Amino acid sequence: MTTVLLVMLGGAIGAPARFLLDRTVQSRHDSVFPWGTLCVNLIGSLILGALAGAATAHDGALWTVLGTGFCGALTTYSTFGYETVRLLETGARAIAVLNVAVSVVAGVAVAALGFAAGGAVLA
């Protein structure tokens, strides 16, 4: 039961953070490209990579709150998928492909960067 409460706590912070950050970023761009979703997913990947690199996975409570709860609620694969399909449906194929490529490549890159930085903290 404690684990569920920790996930809920992290999620209660991550979900509104995602919504607010997504809307703030997207409102600053006059483009169909989903900048807000890309931003929250990259931030979440960086944080989760740093947590893993700092070996926080061995601290069950901290990993549960920040990794599973906060990062799980902050990042959004379903919105990424939906927005990519919408881009395809509206004929913005090049932007849809760019969204997929940038999201995947940059997501893995920032997770690796976070992992390295998190590991350096313990070195």
Side-chain angles (χ1 to χ4, degrees), residues 25-113:
V25 170
Q26 199 60 41
S27 72
R28 290 174 173 25
H29 294 88
D30 187 23
S31 165
V32 297
F33 189 87
W35 290 107
T37 301
L38 176 66
C39 184
V40 297
N41 285 341
L42 294 180
I43 290 169
S45 294
L46 180 68
I47 293 169
L48 195 57
L51 289 170
T56 315
H58 301 295
D59 180 353
L62 189 58
W63 180 262
T64 301
V65 169
L66 295 177
T68 304
F70 179 76
C71 289
L74 178 68
T75 59
T76 174
Y77 190 80
S78 58
T79 302
F80 160 71
Y82 168 76
E83 289 171 345
T84 303
V85 168
R86 289 292 300 141
L87 288 168
L88 290 169
E89 289 178 342
T90 61
R93 287 180 177 85
I95 296 173
V97 170
L98 180 65
N99 184 41
V100 171
V102 170
S103 293
V104 172
V105 172
V108 171
V110 297
L113 178 67

